[in-house]
Amino acid sequence: MASIVTYKYIKQNPDIMEYIQRADKALAAQGFTEHSFAHVEKVAQNASMLLAELGYDERTVELAKIAGIMHDIGNVISRIDHAQSGAVMAFRLLDNLSMPANEICSIISAIGNHDESVGQPLDPISAALIIADKTDVRRSRVRNTELLSFDIHDRVNYAVEMSDIRFNENKTSIILELQIDTEISSVLEYFEIFLQRMLLCKKASQFLGLRFQMIINGTDVL
C-alpha cells in the first residue's frame, strides 16, 4: 500500500513539529547542545543523501529522511533512553497517519537504535541515521555564549570550524572531515567524548559495505 506520508508531509504536521521543538527546549533547559530543527533537518538530509548516493530506491531514501527529522523527539520525555521513547512516540504518530506497518517498522527501528549506548545498525535506514546523527558536530550547536564556563562538550563542538561528510571517489568509504581549532580543544578531547559514537559510525558504515574514515586537520585518524 502506498503511503501519503512524505518528508514534506511530516514537516507540515504541527504535532510532530511541536514535539521536535519541545524536545529541544527540554535539552536546552538541561544545558545540552542544540537539537532543534537545524540538527534534525541536517540529519535527515545527510541520512537520505547517503542512501541516495548508494543507489537505494526513492522510498527507502524518503523513509531515512523521515527517520532523521523525527529521531530526537523522545528527548521531550527524558534524555535517558530517548531513542526508545522516541521510537514509541513515532509509532503512535505514524500509525495515526495510516502509514503502512512495514514503513513504520523501518522508521521506529532506526530511531530506537540511533543512540550509541545501545544502538545497532539493523538495516540501511538505521545505518544511515546513525552516521548522519553522530557526525553532526559543529560550532553552531553550542548554546553557551560564555567561553569561560564551557564544559568539554561545549569546547569540542565549538572547536569544530568545519565539518563535512562525504564519499570517496569510488564510494568505498564514508569520510568525516573536521577542521578543529586545537587552541580551543585538542583532538584527544574530541575522542574522549565521541569515541563510542565514531565506533558506532564505523559499524554502521561496515553494515553498508563501506569503510568509515576520519580526517582531522588534514590527517587521517581513523
Side-chain angles (χ1 to χ4, degrees):
M1 183 176 79
S3 174
I4 63 167
V5 182
T6 63
Y7 180 71
K8 181 178 180 181
Y9 187 95
I10 292 293
K11 286 195 67 176
Q12 292 173 347
N13 184 290
D15 293 339
I16 295 174
M17 294 302 101
E18 179 71 13
Y19 286 128
I20 294 171
Q21 186 175 20
R22 289 291 296 273
D24 181 56
K25 188 175 180 180
L27 292 179
Q30 299 171 72
F32 286 97
T33 51
E34 174 265 323
H35 285 70
S36 67
F37 293 111
H39 170 62
V40 298
E41 288 177 350
K42 184 179 180 67
V43 171
Q45 294 298 330
N46 281 338
S48 60
M49 176 276 291
L50 291 171
L51 296 188
E53 289 289 325
L54 290 171
Y56 284 88
D57 65 271
E58 187 176 332
R59 188 56 182 166
T60 298
V61 171
E62 182 90 358
L63 293 177
K65 206 171 185 181
I66 293 170
I69 200 166
M70 295 183 71
H71 79 279
D72 269 339
I73 57 175
N75 284 304
V76 75
I77 297 173
S78 174
R79 181 64 179 168
I80 299 171
D81 296 330
H82 76 283
Q84 289 72 44
S85 55
V88 174
M89 291 172 64
F91 164 76
R92 180 173 175 83
L93 289 162
L94 297 173
D95 188 50
N96 284 344
L97 295 176
S98 298
M99 179 179 263
N102 66 314
E103 294 189 349
I104 294 177
C105 285
S106 295
I107 290 172
I108 63 175
S109 66
I111 293 173
N113 280 279
H114 83 269
D115 189 65
E116 66 272 12
S117 60
V118 295
Q120 297 286 334
L122 303 178
D123 59 17
I125 293 171
S126 60
L129 177 58
I130 286 168
I131 297 166
D133 180 42
K134 302 312 171 193
T135 57
D136 185 20
V137 186
R138 51 190 160 82
R139 177 169 290 184
S140 56
R141 293 193 70 183
V142 179
R143 306 179 201 264
N144 188 356
T145 58
E146 299 295 330
L147 272 68
L148 293 176
S149 63
F150 274 9
D151 64 13
I152 186 172
H153 290 85
D154 292 330
R155 280 198 308 276
V156 168
N157 279 279
Y158 195 81
V160 177
E161 298 175 321
M162 184 278 290
S163 174
D164 181 50
I165 183 79
R166 66 180 187 275
F167 287 95
N168 64 347
E169 284 188 14
N170 58 1
K171 294 184 182 177
T172 58
S173 295
I174 296 173
I175 301 170
L176 171 63
E177 183 172 5
L178 302 174
Q179 188 68 37
I180 295 177
D181 184 342
T182 54
E183 294 293 318
I184 298 172
S185 178
S186 67
V187 173
L188 184 61
E189 269 197 326
Y190 177 91
F191 282 104
E192 186 177 337
I193 62 171
F194 287 134
L195 179 59
Q196 194 175 0
R197 300 179 193 184
M198 295 302 96
L199 291 175
L200 184 56
C201 283
K202 181 180 179 180
K203 186 181 291 186
S205 299
Q206 290 172 339
F207 186 94
L208 294 171
L210 304 164
R211 180 187 170 202
F212 182 70
Q213 290 181 262
M214 282 189 70
I215 300 172
I216 298 181
N217 294 354
T219 300
D220 197 332
V221 298
L222 186 66

